[in-house]
Amino acid sequence: MLPRDDNERVCRVGPGTPMGEVFRRYWLPVCVSTQIAAPDSDPLRVSLLGERLVVFRDSNGKVGVLDELCPHRGASLALGRVEECGIRCLYHGWKFAVDGTILDTPNNRDEAFKKRVKATSYPVREEGGLVWAYLGPAAKLPAFTRYAFMDVPDEHRTVLRVNVKANYLQLLEGGFDSSHVGILHSNVARPGWIDNAVTRSTDETNPANLSIDDNAPTLDPENTDFGFYYAAFRQAADAAGAINVRVVPFILPSTRIIPAPSQHFTVFETPADDESTSTFLVIHGKAPVDRARAIALLGLDDPRCWSEHDCAFKPTWADRFGQDRARMRDSWSGLNGVEQEDAVIALSMGPIFDRSKEHLVPADRAVVRVRQRLLEATRVVEKGGDPVGVGVDLSDVGAPDVNVAQDTNWRTLVPHHGIPITKGQTVRELLKLAS
Ligand code: FES
Ligand SMILES: [Fe+2]
């Protein structure tokens, strides 16, 4: 359980909150590039860390992220005209460049005024199919963080955004909870569950593709310079005596990389505000990614659930989140697909779950580590330091899911990122297996 004070500390992300100050020290995804696809396309209104922003692409293709409300008298720039290399407020026609410079003030002839005032703008990058912004102090602007998915051809990557009305930590914790994969996601993880058979999913794009029905895997988390790795061990189904090791990195402030046999899912749980989250899923691999298939696997192929148009995850208690109880003889959850199941569970907890009421078990070890790393970061930032992971190049960080011999030290399977190479035990020692 987490004391109420710590729960508040780790969940709230608005300006001036301890966790909000941590989030503001990293480059964060703001939107998918395709949401402002072409020069002078419609501006996009977004919330990030409790702040309202407008994102637009100017006539030259450059992207700007500004405070949403016009610095004149507060009309929303998201209603504005995007034209001639700027965004123009509808109310009195003030026009702003991507860096917030005022280009025109039709109701004010004082030329010097334009140099004195600026719209609040944020540093922006566009990489890997996403628009990124930095909302922190200018003096602390970190190097841009690179991920492996930024270095593949565009057709080998697809990016999805799902807006869920729940606190980011409820969604994030699901990513560090290996034991739920074979239970909540029974239908895609272990399709033999209905007959008590050990039947492995054959879908190589499926991130819930587990090697065996082992829902109480042994976990071994290890801190790194970006957060931590955790390894989950299960008896391997298809190699006598071998052990399956599935390693998932936690990257501060709220990112994880999930392995599927043929591709990786890099997932960002980016807080829009305290009670809603933009989940950005970047799927990439060595071959072209089939976007429609990914959407179906995630359970997002039903317009009552989600659409590309507004990215909103729509199910609510009003329709019991779309759960079909009549199907639950054959469907574990009565829901469809991995993301649909994860989002519904997070929503079912309410907007911000009170973790002082929970009862943790050893399978929650990595969830506890997530909270520890985040709370540590709030204390470091309060003391004027830099939180872990800021500016670290992550392009070599992946998520292996492999069968290994029992005398393997799993730490040799990953780029070490600060783990002493000699550290750790073999799989046999961790699992206390007989040699
Ligand atoms: S409120 Fe925007 S120009 Fe006046
Ligand atoms: Fe899940």
Side-chain angles (χ1 to χ4, degrees):
M1 74 95 159
L2 194 63
R4 275 212 181 131
D5 287 357
D6 279 349
N7 199 48
E8 287 288 302
R9 171 176 274 266
V10 77
C11 288
R12 306 247 173 224
V13 293
T17 58
M19 200 64 226
E21 293 305 303
V22 170
F23 267 94
R24 282 166 174 77
R25 299 294 300 281
Y26 301 85
W27 284 92
L28 301 173
V30 179
C31 69
V32 183
S33 288
T34 51
Q35 292 187 280
I36 44 160
D40 292 336
S41 56
D42 295 344
L44 186 72
R45 186 168 178 256
V46 298
S47 292
L48 182 60
L49 306 178
E51 309 212 29
R52 286 166 56 184
L53 308 172
V54 63
V55 187
F56 70 103
R57 190 184 296 278
D58 77 9
S59 315
N60 294 328
K62 278 199 192 143
V63 178
V65 176
L66 308 180
D67 276 354
E68 181 195 351
L69 301 186
C70 177
H72 176 216
R73 283 181 33 224
S76 172
L77 294 174
L79 296 173
R81 303 172 62 86
V82 184
E83 58 192 16
E84 296 162 344
C85 277
I87 186 165
R88 194 184 282 282
C89 180
L90 283 190
Y91 202 176
H92 311 94
W94 290 22
K95 182 178 158 193
F96 307 94
V98 288
D99 68 352
T101 301
I102 300 183
L103 302 171
D104 193 15
T105 55
N107 68 345
N108 179 23
R109 290 202 186 83
D110 177 4
E111 283 298 311
F113 177 85
K114 286 193 272 193
K115 297 196 175 60
R116 283 206 309 276
V117 180
K118 236 182 147 184
T120 303
S121 68
Y122 299 93
V124 180
R125 291 286 292 263
E126 196 171 11
E127 293 274 1
L130 287 161
V131 174
W132 305 76
Y134 171 77
L135 268 56
K140 297 283 192 180
L141 178 71
F144 183 73
T145 301
R146 295 202 66 78
Y147 292 84
F149 67 77
M150 294 172 179
D151 297 325
V152 300
D154 286 351
E155 64 273 20
H156 288 198
R157 175 183 63 232
T158 198
V159 186
L160 297 164
R161 176 179 177 177
V162 185
N163 299 337
V164 184
K165 288 199 179 305
N167 180 260
Y168 81 97
L169 193 58
Q170 285 156 219
L171 292 149
L172 180 61
E173 288 181 349
F176 297 91
D177 165 13
S178 204
S179 71
H180 90 277
V181 178
I183 304 175
L184 174 63
H185 306 309
S186 284
N187 278 59
V188 290
R190 44 188 198 103
W193 72 273
I194 301 157
D195 306 319
N196 261 336
V198 177
T199 312
R200 187 176 179 178
S201 163
T202 53
D203 182 352
E204 297 287 293
T205 68
N206 176 3
N209 194 328
L210 295 176
S211 68
I212 197 169
D213 289 10
D214 181 353
N215 294 324
T218 301
L219 302 183
D220 188 24
E222 177 70 79
N223 284 352
T224 62
D225 62 4
F226 55 75
F228 68 88
Y229 288 115
Y230 86 95
F233 305 97
R234 292 175 170 88
Q235 195 75 43
D238 39 11
I243 298 293
N244 177 262
V245 182
R246 180 182 173 97
V247 183
V248 172
F250 168 58
I251 298 162
L252 263 82
S254 57
T255 304
R256 62 191 183 274
I257 304 177
I258 304 170
S262 71
Q263 52 197 19
H264 278 60
F265 289 61
T266 307
V267 185
F268 300 85
E269 304 291 2
T270 307
D273 56 37
D274 289 351
E275 298 186 353
S276 48
T277 304
S278 304
T279 301
F280 294 96
L281 297 119
V282 186
I283 306 165
H284 85 279
K286 293 200 173 85
V289 175
D290 183 336
R291 183 176 175 84
R293 190 164 167 203
I295 288 173
L297 177 76
L298 294 167
L300 300 175
D301 55 341
D302 179 345
R304 290 172 302 179
C305 176
W306 178 85
S307 70
E308 298 267 9
H309 166 64
D310 60 7
C311 305
F313 188 77
K314 299 182 173 68
T316 67
W317 271 116
D319 64 351
R320 206 185 177 87
F321 300 111
Q323 187 186 41
D324 183 350
R325 298 194 67 84
R327 278 178 47 218
M328 286 174 71
R329 275 178 68 89
D330 301 330
S331 160
W332 171 267
S333 64
L335 302 165
N336 291 310
V338 180
E339 174 64 16
Q340 190 180 125
E341 288 167 335
D342 285 334
V344 167
I345 289 296
L347 284 165
S348 75
M349 298 173 182
I352 302 183
F353 175 58
D354 174 3
R355 293 173 176 75
S356 69
K357 296 186 172 153
E358 67 189 3
H359 297 84
L360 298 175
V361 295
D364 300 311
R365 222 176 141 199
V367 168
V368 171
R369 186 67 65 99
V370 168
R371 300 170 186 177
Q372 283 172 350
R373 292 302 260 165
L374 291 173
L375 288 167
E376 275 165 29
T378 64
R379 296 191 174 105
V380 167
V381 170
E382 278 172 340
K383 287 189 185 134
D386 297 330
V388 75
V390 159
V392 173
D393 184 340
L394 300 171
S395 49
D396 62 349
V397 177
D401 182 341
V402 288
N403 294 342
V404 297
Q406 294 180 2
D407 57 0
T408 306
N409 177 344
W410 70 263
R411 291 163 178 80
T412 61
L413 304 174
V414 289
H416 60 91
H417 275 274
I419 307 174
I421 283 289
T422 52
K423 190 169 171 198
Q425 300 159 294
T426 64
V427 169
R428 177 182 291 115
E429 288 159 345
L430 285 164
L431 298 183
K432 299 192 174 50
L433 298 170
S435 55

